[in-house]
Amino acid sequence: MIDYQHIINTIHSELKGVEDKGNVASYIPELAKIDPNKLGIHLTDSIGNHYSAGNADELFSIQSISKVLSLSQCFAMLGNSIWERVDVEPSGDPFNHLSLLEFENGIPRNPLINAGALVVADMLVSHLENPKEDFLDFIRRLTDDDTIGFNEKVANSEKETGYTNIAAANLLKSYGNLKNDVDEVLDFYFHQCSIEMNCRQLANAFYMFMNNGKCQKGKKYLDITQVKRINALMLTCGFYDEAGEFAFEVGLPGKSGVGGGIAAVLPNNFSVVTWSPGLNKKGNSKLGMQALEKLTTKTTQSIF
Ligand code: GLU
């Protein structure tokens, strides 16, 4: 049996002292205030054992990691019809690029870049009675944790400086691929990104991607084919224009966020979350990527 606790402790102590931790995201002013020295790791194995190291119990902004959860709620609710409005190809572009969107007539490349997540947000706004509350409730049920919430300061901070997302939403609207009011969709999107969770809560939320669509309590949210599709999207599109590098170094489906979190899964084995706010040039957590590379190397476990 693999001693995950020992491995995680080793990784934490190997990385804790590293000097170049990358740079904390500053384009959302609230995120620029985060201490770059934080480093947390949490792994939940397939039988529900928990292994933690470092700042795994501190809340952080999940940002783009929320895109996997909004996609899941949308996919579970609307099924394959969603693929008429968003494609499933990696973009090879940074998360907020708009050029492809114009080139491809308003159909975003995939649901994990901003334009794709905005289309997913639009579908949720159309189909949920109280969109923000119902999405939050979905996450609370997945994790069996009612303490999870939005950070209004972060949502407002992003709203004030979110020019590229505002442009993306307007471009989508001009192509007819946004059905609701632009401001309402953006408000939903900024709120979903502002959700705060710790490594443990996020590993619990991602448990269903490791466990054939069932959360830890046993409730099924996604069928096996849907899980396959979401994991495939995470592997090919989960790390901006560094998805190839993440597959190459780590070998797990996962998703990063500019808050410095990374959530990843090894189907039927574990879900794991790292948090280190310093980002590399491509916008992925610098130490988080290194921690996960060490995890799959030391355990010799990856999807490959
Ligand atoms: N809310 C951020 C944005 O849209 C999320 C970016 C990210 O985490 O990749 O710019």
Side-chain angles (χ1 to χ4, degrees):
M1 208 167 121
I2 297 174
D3 188 347
Y4 287 122
Q5 188 60 58
H6 175 70
I7 290 174
I8 283 175
N9 287 346
T10 309
I11 294 170
H12 183 264
S13 58
E14 285 174 3
L15 291 177
K16 190 69 194 144
V18 168
E19 233 163 74
D20 182 4
K21 295 179 160 65
N23 296 310
V24 174
S26 57
Y27 76 101
I28 301 175
E30 272 303 305
L31 294 185
K33 300 177 182 167
I34 309 296
D35 176 1
N37 296 309
K38 302 287 183 184
L39 175 61
I41 310 172
H42 188 93
L43 184 146
T44 304
D45 73 11
S46 58
I47 50 171
N49 294 315
H50 292 274
Y51 308 92
S52 273
N55 308 105
D57 290 325
E58 272 185 53
L59 297 176
F60 63 90
S61 193
I62 69 170
Q63 291 297 321
S64 274
I65 301 173
S66 68
K67 293 170 180 168
V68 183
L69 301 172
S70 56
L71 172 66
S72 300
Q73 191 182 25
C74 195
F75 198 12
M77 204 162 50
L78 304 178
N80 286 324
S81 64
I82 67 176
W83 308 121
E84 287 162 20
R85 292 180 55 192
V86 58
D87 208 345
V88 296
E89 293 298 338
S91 71
D93 266 350
F95 62 99
N96 57 4
H97 264 206
L98 301 181
S99 46
L100 271 175
L101 191 56
E102 214 175 0
F103 192 64
E104 291 172 348
N105 298 319
I107 302 294
R109 269 283 165 117
N110 66 69
L112 302 183
I113 52 171
N114 286 11
L118 285 165
V119 168
V120 171
D122 183 57
M123 293 190 246
L124 289 176
V125 168
S126 292
H127 289 91
L128 296 174
E129 209 170 314
N130 302 300
K132 285 189 280 187
E133 292 75 9
D134 295 352
F135 177 61
L136 186 58
D137 187 55
F138 173 67
I139 293 184
R140 287 175 170 178
R141 279 185 283 124
L142 279 183
T143 51
D144 194 29
D145 191 333
D146 282 346
T147 65
I148 295 168
F150 300 116
N151 181 325
E152 293 292 340
K153 271 192 182 168
V154 171
N156 286 332
S157 179
E158 187 168 3
K159 191 177 281 183
E160 277 162 21
T161 55
Y163 306 111
T164 314
N165 285 321
I166 295 166
N170 280 291
L171 202 50
L172 288 165
K173 187 80 179 170
S174 77
Y175 281 105
N177 202 7
L178 214 71
K179 309 296 175 196
N180 296 282
D181 179 58
V182 167
D183 288 337
E184 193 181 357
V185 176
L186 284 166
D187 181 61
F188 179 92
Y189 175 74
F190 293 144
H191 275 84
Q192 74 167 75
C193 290
S194 83
I195 289 176
E196 291 188 322
M197 291 165 87
N198 60 33
C199 294
R200 183 188 180 101
Q201 290 166 328
L202 206 43
N204 288 345
F206 270 62
Y207 188 89
M208 68 171 169
F209 305 117
M210 175 264 288
N211 192 36
N212 301 311
K214 277 193 210 156
C215 76
Q216 263 186 282
K217 286 258 163 176
K219 185 169 159 43
K220 202 164 175 65
Y221 286 92
L222 297 165
D223 67 34
I224 289 183
T225 304
Q226 289 172 326
V227 172
K228 176 181 76 176
R229 302 209 188 299
I230 292 174
N231 285 346
L233 284 165
M234 283 201 263
L235 185 75
T236 53
C237 314
F239 294 85
Y240 317 117
D241 45 341
E242 209 175 22
E245 180 75 11
F246 191 82
F248 185 81
E249 296 289 345
V250 178
L252 298 176
K255 182 75 198 89
S256 60
V258 295
I262 298 179
V265 294
L266 179 61
N268 303 310
N269 282 270
F270 60 73
S271 66
V272 63
V273 173
T274 58
W275 173 50
S276 173
L279 309 179
N280 65 18
K281 287 200 173 67
K282 303 272 172 108
N284 294 307
S285 169
K286 186 156 187 151
L287 295 193
M289 275 185 76
Q290 290 176 18
L292 292 169
E293 187 279 323
K294 285 177 186 286
L295 177 71
T296 53
T297 301
K298 287 181 197 289
T299 58
T300 66
Q301 286 184 306
S302 82
I303 64 165
F304 303 112

